Amino acid sequence: MTGWPKCFTGEDKGKNYTLYLITIALVSMLIFPFLSREILLLIFAGAGVYGYITSSNRNITNLIVSVVLLLLISITANHYSYSLPKYIIISAIQISTIGFTSATIVRCGTKKDLQENTTNLPSSLALLIAGASSAFIAGSWYAYWTAAVSYELIFFIAVIGAITAALFESIPSSVDRLFSMTLGSAMAMWILASFGYTVAPLHLLIAFSFALFLGYLAYRTNIADISAVLSATLMGVLIIVFSNILWFVLLLTFFILGGVFTKYKYNYKLDLGIAQEKGGVRTYENVFSNSTAALVLAIACGIYPQHSNLITYAFLGTVATAAGDTLASEIGTTARQTPRMITNLKPTKTGTDGAVTSLGELAAFGGALAIGILGAAFGFVEQIIPAIIITCAGGWGGTNIDSLLGATFQKNGYLSNSGVNFVATATGALISGILYILVL
């Protein structure tokens, strides 16, 4: 395999490790159905020791180490009556070998500087498609010989694992990509497989295509970077398959509002030093910190349909909080009045954590109101007026909890901005959920 571009040869003094990756993928697929976890552990541990002693390519060694860790977890879990199935481990191996190899080929062909190892959208898509396909093939091979799992579940987790791996690859990190991709994708697949929740392949493909297309539009309009596109795709697929497409559309409304109002008087906010970085482009941190509570609720709705009404109101509250907080920040900071700290109402500088203005409070209410009206329009609820009131209460209350946390925990270094957003959105869900129980 001497004809590959230079950037595809790795860091091992020009040696091409592509053949090693493909060999690991194929051999693993062939032997996993027939060997015990303990024997597989010995094989991979021996390969890892050999690679370390011979100073082989560190990417390969890190991949093998990640597989060893997964096998150790699987053996330990099995000892305590839990299960990390072998088909998940083999699927993760395929994603990190075939998927990463495909992404590298595309990356080499689309970068002028062949040594550049940064991700781009075409390479991430290549990882998604090749990773999911190879994981499904390997998982199906395992299912054919063991009959331990359905093909629908294998397809579902293969897609989720590939999206997760592509996300890990897109996030700048000092941790080796093959290591983080293998462990990250395996953990995501394990969590979903443990639910025993299967999705029809056509439904999953429609959800994936829709979520990815909307993410691509956000990328093209400079609302999101690649990590945010992949994060939103992962969120979108899970939300759609566990609830329905309108739940994702409602959550997407928050991101659209955030992207639009980030541009509102952007130069003015830039002069004050309080504008969003990178022109307001959202990253994976923005997606996860504002949407994790919504994702948990969407999954809960699919698993516990008997509590769907309560979960729906909580979902409206968390999205309303995210929208209200974003509009309060982006619009409230442009107010001509002097902001005041939410803790003691003393005047403070614009952009201070925990600072509030009447314009910001009004914007927060407006954002929550927009989510409440859309939720009613989408048919989320039957009692429209009470639902809008409960959604506004949750959104406005969660937004002010965000300000309170910013003035206390974030200011003192106990929480990051992402942590504050997560707690606030969870609180907004809690407020709306409690009000639903008390009022309806």
Side-chain angles (χ1 to χ4, degrees):
M1 304 185 72
T2 57
W4 295 112
K6 185 178 179 182
C7 72
F8 204 54
T9 60
E11 301 170 358
D12 189 18
K13 299 180 180 179
K15 290 182 180 179
N16 194 316
Y17 65 94
T18 309
L19 180 60
Y20 299 149
L21 288 176
I22 296 176
T23 300
I24 290 172
L26 294 178
V27 172
S28 298
M29 183 182 75
L30 292 174
I31 67 175
F32 257 69
F34 310 110
L35 300 180
S36 68
R37 294 174 175 85
E38 289 76 13
I39 294 177
L40 289 170
L41 176 62
L42 290 175
I43 292 173
F44 277 92
V49 171
Y50 173 80
Y52 181 81
I53 293 175
T54 59
S55 298
S56 297
N57 185 275
R58 292 306 178 199
N59 300 97
I60 303 295
T61 304
N62 286 326
L63 169 65
I64 293 173
V65 169
S66 66
V67 177
V68 169
L69 287 175
L70 289 173
L71 287 168
L72 283 171
I73 294 172
S74 182
I75 293 171
T76 304
N78 192 57
H79 180 72
Y80 290 99
S81 301
Y82 295 97
S83 176
L84 171 54
K86 288 193 291 180
Y87 68 83
I88 289 179
I89 301 176
I90 183 57
S91 295
I93 294 173
Q94 301 302 308
I95 292 169
S96 295
T97 52
I98 304 300
F100 184 73
T101 299
S102 302
T104 307
I105 293 173
V106 172
R107 188 156 46 241
C108 288
T110 55
K111 289 292 184 182
K112 294 181 180 179
D113 181 1
L114 295 181
Q115 292 295 333
E116 190 171 352
N117 199 32
T118 56
T119 58
N120 55 39
L121 192 57
S123 69
S124 294
L125 292 177
L127 196 160
L128 277 175
I129 296 170
S133 300
S134 59
F136 176 67
I137 292 171
S140 298
W141 169 264
Y142 184 92
Y144 175 80
W145 288 104
T146 63
V149 61
S150 70
Y151 292 103
E152 280 192 354
L153 179 58
I154 290 172
F155 186 70
F156 179 38
I157 66 167
V159 172
I160 298 302
I163 299 173
T164 305
L167 173 60
F168 271 94
E169 196 209 17
S170 70
I171 298 173
S173 173
S174 59
V175 179
D176 178 74
R177 289 179 176 182
L178 289 179
F179 182 84
S180 61
M181 288 166 59
T182 307
L183 286 179
S185 62
M187 292 299 104
M189 291 187 286
W190 188 18
I191 291 172
L192 291 174
S194 66
F195 290 141
Y197 190 92
T198 58
V199 181
L202 180 59
H203 184 196
L204 180 60
L205 286 174
I206 292 173
F208 170 74
S209 300
F210 181 74
L212 182 61
F213 174 71
L214 293 180
Y216 173 75
L217 291 181
Y219 175 76
R220 294 294 297 177
T221 53
N222 292 323
I223 293 177
D225 67 4
I226 294 175
S227 69
V229 171
L230 296 170
S231 303
T233 301
L234 178 61
M235 290 275 187
V237 169
L238 292 175
I239 288 173
I240 292 170
V241 299
F242 279 97
S243 52
N244 63 61
I245 198 169
L246 290 178
W247 283 51
F248 180 53
V249 172
L250 187 68
L251 183 62
L252 191 67
T253 301
F254 144 66
F255 287 107
I256 294 174
L257 287 173
V260 170
F261 282 99
T262 295
K263 309 295 183 181
Y264 176 71
K265 294 187 177 181
Y266 186 80
N267 290 333
Y268 173 74
K269 289 182 281 190
L270 190 64
D271 291 338
L272 293 178
I274 57 174
Q276 287 278 348
E277 297 179 355
K278 301 179 182 179
V281 175
R282 264 46 181 177
T283 68
Y284 71 96
E285 291 183 290
N286 301 109
V287 175
F288 281 118
S289 63
N290 286 290
S291 306
T292 298
L295 174 63
V296 170
L297 290 167
I299 292 175
C301 187
I303 298 175
Y304 306 107
Q306 67 272 26
H307 302 299
S308 60
N309 286 337
L310 171 61
I311 295 171
T312 298
Y313 275 87
F315 180 82
L316 291 172
T318 191
V319 179
T321 299
D325 177 54
T326 300
L327 266 62
S329 299
E330 299 299 341
I331 297 176
T333 50
T334 66
R336 299 298 180 180
Q337 69 181 110
T338 301
R340 295 179 179 274
M341 290 298 294
I342 192 172
T343 50
N344 54 26
L345 298 182
K346 292 183 178 180
T348 188
K349 291 174 57 178
T350 300
T352 303
D353 294 329
V356 296
T357 63
S358 56
L359 179 62
E361 293 294 311
L362 184 62
F365 182 81
L369 178 62
I371 298 301
I373 292 174
L374 281 176
F378 289 164
F380 280 31
V381 293
E382 295 180 357
Q383 297 175 278
I384 296 177
I385 300 302
I388 292 176
I389 294 174
I390 289 174
T391 302
C392 288
W396 188 79
T399 299
N400 281 282
I401 290 295
D402 185 285
S403 298
L404 184 61
L405 291 172
T408 53
F409 286 87
Q410 184 177 356
K411 183 179 179 181
N412 293 316
Y414 297 119
L415 280 176
S416 65
N417 183 62
S418 295
V420 168
N421 288 338
F422 171 73
V423 175
T425 51
T427 303
L430 183 63
I431 293 172
S432 290
I434 291 175
L435 288 176
Y436 166 78
I437 294 173
L438 295 176
V439 176
L440 299 178

